[in-house]
Amino acid sequence: MNKKVIVVIGAGSIGQAIVRRVGAGKHILLADLNQANNEAAAKTLSEAGFEVSTTTVDISSRQSVQSLVGTATKIGNVTGLIHAAGVSPSQASPATILKVDLFGTAVILEEFGNIIAEGGAGVVISSQSGHRLPALTPEQNKALATTPADKILELPFLQLNQITDSLHVYQLSKRGNALRVMAEAVRWGKRGARINSISPGIIITPLAKDELTGPRGDVYRKMINTCAVGRAGTPDEVGNVANLLMGQDGAFITGSDFLMDGGVTAEYWYGDTK
């Protein structure tokens, strides 16, 4: 019997929370840059009854992503993709953010869009930051959505002599992720598959803790304290949304981005706190 495979890129808290909801009865392939992360996640999932294997991947390298695709397809039919890897503004330089978060996501969507099984579904974990960026031009939107991944970092408005702030670069990358998912949904649909993105707010993970203790920590704490919900989110809450998007209850949803941030973006644009 040919196995159904779910590939999880980024073996952290959010990726694990999602696959625990959608991975029963399937083979879970964990792929992370850090093998220690893989092994820790694999131990937790295996002890919970899931069938798991691991491999390393550098999403900033097309060759590495292609190798991941090859590993996955040797196991079985890839019916699910969970892309939860990335770097934050406090973790990386503008150049690294563009290479990992923007280019890497584009490559993943291209490569897995070539092999995703009929009836398959994927989710990309983006960020609320993409919703805090002012409107781009229609031409810029189209360029982020449709420029081949190997050319995307050559776009004039992404040159590092024009954008030097890590947060701004991160916002551009995450806006690009949502636009790229919308465009790729057309291509994935021709294979009978769906792809969506989720834009979480502050979810308590190691990455979020880096931000809360980093140079923008005060800003992040203010976001939490002034948003409508008044707290940060949890990986399990992201998992609940992903479960809808990847399952039959979400069969009519593709090419969409789901903002779940406790009202942080609403407060940013329309609230009284500035």
Side-chain angles (χ1 to χ4, degrees):
M1 183 175 68
N2 207 11
K3 293 182 179 181
K4 294 181 178 180
V5 181
I6 294 182
V7 178
V8 183
I9 302 175
S13 304
I14 290 177
Q16 289 182 57
I18 296 171
V19 82
R20 288 177 76 97
R21 286 160 174 77
V22 302
K26 301 179 178 69
H27 185 98
I28 298 167
L29 176 60
L30 296 173
D32 197 284
L33 182 63
N34 187 325
Q35 182 60 18
N37 292 343
N38 275 332
E39 290 173 358
K43 182 176 185 295
T44 299
L45 291 167
S46 296
E47 289 176 349
F50 293 94
E51 181 184 353
V52 186
S53 61
T54 68
T55 189
T56 56
V57 66
D58 174 2
I59 67 171
S60 69
S61 162
R62 183 181 288 275
Q63 183 178 6
S64 183
V65 174
Q66 288 174 335
S67 178
L68 171 60
V69 168
T71 299
T73 53
K74 286 177 182 176
I75 298 170
N77 292 324
V78 177
T79 61
L81 170 69
I82 300 164
H83 172 31
V87 292
S88 76
S90 294
Q91 292 176 322
S93 67
T96 299
I97 292 169
L98 286 172
K99 188 71 171 175
V100 173
D101 291 350
L102 183 64
F103 169 79
T105 298
V107 168
I108 287 165
L109 290 170
E110 286 180 0
E111 294 293 341
F112 279 91
N114 292 334
I115 57 91
I116 189 74
E118 183 175 0
V123 290
V124 171
I125 302 303
S126 186
S127 170
Q128 65 168 359
S129 285
H131 292 262
R132 295 165 70 87
L133 185 73
L136 301 174
T137 67
E139 293 77 17
Q140 288 173 325
N141 284 339
K142 185 174 182 180
L144 286 172
T146 63
T147 302
D150 291 332
K151 298 290 186 181
I152 197 167
L153 298 184
E154 299 174 11
L155 292 172
F157 63 95
L158 296 181
Q159 298 313 297
L160 294 174
N161 61 354
Q162 297 188 46
I163 48 172
T164 59
D165 178 70
S166 291
L167 180 58
H168 184 206
V169 171
Y170 185 75
Q171 291 173 336
L172 278 167
S173 297
K174 295 305 180 178
R175 177 71 61 81
N177 290 168
L179 292 166
R180 178 70 52 157
V181 162
M182 183 179 290
E184 281 285 340
V186 177
R187 193 168 67 95
W188 282 49
K190 293 175 182 178
R191 297 184 62 87
R194 299 181 296 108
I195 182 70
N196 292 287
S197 60
I198 300 174
S199 289
I202 300 171
I203 307 297
I204 298 303
T205 65
L207 184 149
K209 289 180 179 178
D210 283 346
E211 290 298 324
L212 287 166
T213 58
R216 281 177 286 273
D218 289 343
V219 174
Y220 279 79
R221 282 185 286 274
K222 184 178 179 181
M223 287 182 191
I224 293 170
N225 294 332
T226 60
C227 73
V229 174
R231 64 171 175 85
T234 67
D236 283 344
E237 290 174 303
V238 181
N240 291 337
V241 176
N243 187 39
L244 166 67
L245 296 178
M246 294 185 72
Q248 281 305 302
D249 287 345
F252 197 57
I253 307 171
T254 193
S256 296
D257 178 69
F258 283 73
L259 174 64
M260 53 172 302
D261 67 354
V264 166
T265 302
E267 176 66 29
Y268 176 80
W269 288 110
Y270 304 115
D272 296 327
T273 304
K274 300 298 180 186

